[in-house]
C-alpha cells in the first residue's frame, strides 16, 4: 500500500509540473459558409496548434496553424485566454490546401467575428469570402481540464473508495449483555 501511495504521489507531481501557462480549448464555429470544430492549444495567449475539421463549402481536416502567407492576411495567432476571444488580426490556419482566418472587428461596444478564406482564389478586393469573409453566427469555446486536474480527481476518488472499503471490512466484535 505504501508503494502504491508513493507511485501515485510521483505521478501527480510529474503531471502537475507541466507548463502552468499552457491551455487547451475545444471550440465550434458556425457561419453561413463554413463550420469549424476542433481544439486550440495555447502557451500564454499565443496559439501554438490547432486541430479539427472544416465543413460547409469545403470539407477538410485542419492542417495546422500558419504564418503570414501574403500581405492580405495579418494574423497574430493570439487568443485572449482571460475571455477566449481572437484579436482583429486573428488566428490563421490551413485546411484542404487553403488558408482560413478567424478574426474580430470592433462594432461599437461589441465585436463581430468573421472567418475568411482564399478557397476560391479570387482577388482580396472582390471575393466576399476572402474579404471580409463569412460572418460567424455562433460559436463556443471551452477550456479542457488539464491532465493534472484529472489525476487529482482520480486520486481523490480512489482515496474515498479505499477509505470506504476499509471501513466496510472492519471486523466489529460482538458484545452480549
Amino acid at each position: 500500500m505504501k508503494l502504491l501511495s508513493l507511485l501515485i504521489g510521483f505521478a501527480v507531481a510529474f503531471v502537475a509540473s507541466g507548463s502552468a501557462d499552457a491551455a487547451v480549448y475545444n471550440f465550434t464555429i458556425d457561419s453561413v459558409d463554413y463550420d469549424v470544430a476542433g481544439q486550440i492549444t495555447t502557451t500564454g495567449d499565443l496559439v501554438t496548434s490547432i486541430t479539427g475539421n472544416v465543413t460547409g463549402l469545403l470539407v477538410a481536416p485542419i492542417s495546422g496553424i500558419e504564418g503570414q502567407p501574403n500581405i492580405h492576411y495579418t494574423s497574430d495567432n493570439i487568443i485572449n485566454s482571460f475571455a477566449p476571444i481572437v484579436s482583429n488580426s486573428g488566428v490563421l490556419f490551413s485546411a484542404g490546401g487553403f488558408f482560413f482566418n478567424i478574426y474580430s472587428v470592433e462594432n461599437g461596444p461589441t465585436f463581430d467575428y468573421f472567418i475568411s478564406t482564399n478557397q476560391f482564389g479570387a482577388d482580396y478586393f472582390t471575393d466576399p469570402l476572402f474579404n471580409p469573409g463569412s460572418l460567424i453566427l455562433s460559436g463556443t469555446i471551452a477550456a479542457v481540464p488539464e491532465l493534472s486536474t484529472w489525476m487529482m480527481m482520480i486520486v481523490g476518488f480512489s482515496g474515498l473508495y479505499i477509505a470506504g472499503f476499509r471501513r466496510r471490512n472492519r471486523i466489529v466484535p460482538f458484545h452480549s449483555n
Side-chain angles (χ1 to χ4, degrees):
M1 189 63 165
K2 287 183 181 182
L3 179 61
L4 179 62
S5 298
L6 183 63
L7 288 174
I8 291 173
F10 278 128
V12 170
F14 176 75
V15 171
S17 67
S19 177
D21 63 349
V24 179
Y25 300 96
N26 288 331
F27 73 95
T28 61
I29 293 172
D30 299 316
S31 76
V32 173
D33 299 308
Y34 299 99
D35 296 333
V36 185
Q39 201 169 68
I40 293 176
T41 304
T42 64
T43 299
D45 287 343
L46 181 66
V47 176
T48 55
S49 73
I50 184 170
T51 59
N53 292 295
V54 174
T55 57
L57 296 178
L58 174 74
V59 176
I62 294 173
S63 307
I65 201 81
E66 294 291 338
Q68 295 303 124
N70 59 48
I71 61 170
H72 299 298
Y73 283 113
T74 58
S75 65
D76 55 12
N77 293 333
I78 290 178
I79 186 168
N80 182 330
S81 57
F82 176 71
I85 56 172
V86 295
S87 69
N88 181 263
S89 296
V91 175
L92 185 69
F93 63 92
S94 59
F98 304 103
F99 294 106
F100 289 83
N101 191 12
I102 301 168
Y103 67 97
S104 64
V105 174
E106 190 172 359
N107 185 5
T110 63
F111 290 88
D112 289 334
Y113 294 90
F114 293 89
I115 181 167
S116 68
T117 182
N118 67 343
Q119 179 183 354
F120 298 103
D123 184 82
Y124 171 81
F125 300 102
T126 60
D127 184 353
L129 290 179
F130 197 162
N131 180 20
S134 288
L135 179 65
I136 294 175
L137 304 173
S138 66
T140 61
I141 187 164
V144 175
E146 294 180 10
L147 188 55
S148 60
T149 303
W150 286 107
M151 286 297 294
M152 284 189 287
M153 286 180 7
I154 290 169
V155 169
F157 286 127
S158 298
L160 289 172
Y161 174 77
I162 291 169
F165 182 77
R166 283 184 169 178
R167 188 171 296 147
R168 188 176 36 219
N169 290 335
R170 190 178 297 160
I171 299 173
V172 179
F174 178 73
H175 295 289
S176 62
N177 291 339

